[in-house]
Amino acid sequence: MAVKHIAAPLTDEAVASLRAGDRVLISGVVYTARDAAHKRMIEALDRGEALPFDVSGQVIYYVGPTPARPGQVIGSAGPTTSGRMDAYAPRLLALGLKGMIGKGYRNQEVKEAMAKHKAVYFAAVGGAGALLAKAIKAQEPVAYEDLGPEAVRKLVIEQFPAVVVNDIYGNDLYRQGVEQYREA
């Protein structure tokens, strides 16, 4: 299977072209946010305030990078467990979020919201944070700097490797993998 090159932010057409199991290289702009930042974003929405960035078309990478060493753009930047964002993701998907990068399963509500709002979930390789950081070419803080590594950051990435786990068609690579194993 060929690797697909995709650009972030994502368009509806790009999202529609992706299927669970597709290997991708993502280039463009993505934002970082983990559970503490997600909680603050939802609290801001509850107060009628704007988010720190327009999520429409965007991809959020669930990561809390380590500090950069001298001469580096960013420290180790491996994915965190996505399930911690499941309580917040459907609301952001309804606002136009098109992609999420993390590791691990998503709950049924998130998968249904992805299908409804045309978004995808990508998995990045856990434990490979130093390698993944090499795909990050620039970064700048956006919001919640008091959260340290969990602050929202804007990242410019080039050929960031990931795999589509959940697509807009209801496919789930994790479920498909188990089914294929049981059939073998």
Side-chain angles (χ1 to χ4, degrees), residues 33-42 60 62 85 88 92:
R34 287 180 43 144
D35 30 329
H38 274 75
K39 183 176 187 287
R40 285 193 188 175
M41 288 191 290
I42 297 304
I60 294 179
Y62 302 146
M85 276 54 74
Y88 312 111
L92 297 176

Side-chain angles (χ1 to χ4, degrees), residues 48-170:
E49 298 170 6
L51 293 175
F53 65 97
D54 181 3
V55 298
S56 184
Q58 299 299 335
V59 175
I60 294 179
Y61 182 22
Y62 302 146
V63 62
T66 63
R69 290 183 169 168
Q72 291 181 325
V73 171
I74 201 164
S76 183
T80 196
T81 304
S82 301
R84 292 198 304 264
M85 276 54 74
D86 282 359
Y88 312 111
R91 186 130 176 227
L92 297 176
L93 291 163
L95 293 174
L97 181 67
K98 289 294 174 191
M100 300 158 287
I101 304 170
K103 66 179 182 181
Y105 295 92
R106 304 313 300 267
N107 71 24
Q108 190 60 34
E109 183 182 3
V110 173
K111 290 188 271 188
E112 289 170 4
M114 283 187 277
K116 179 179 180 181
H117 301 293
K118 297 187 176 12
V120 292
Y121 170 55
F122 303 99
V125 177
L131 181 62
L132 293 171
K134 291 181 179 183
I136 300 169
K137 304 304 178 185
Q139 66 95 12
E140 65 180 73
V142 172
Y144 316 136
E145 290 186 64
D146 61 302
L147 295 177
E150 294 194 33
V152 174
R153 290 178 168 70
K154 178 180 177 181
L155 304 181
V156 176
I157 58 175
E158 284 182 17
Q159 298 190 17
F160 184 96
V163 175
V164 177
V165 174
N166 299 107
D167 61 31
I168 65 173
Y169 306 103

Side-chain angles (χ1 to χ4, degrees), residues 16-53:
S17 76
L18 299 171
R19 301 289 188 282
D22 285 349
R23 294 181 307 147
V24 299
L25 293 173
I26 307 167
S27 297
V29 171
V30 300
Y31 290 86
T32 69
R34 287 180 43 144
D35 30 329
H38 274 75
K39 183 176 187 287
R40 285 193 188 175
M41 288 191 290
I42 297 304
E43 289 170 347
L45 290 172
D46 289 344
R47 292 189 301 268
E49 298 170 6
L51 293 175
F53 65 97

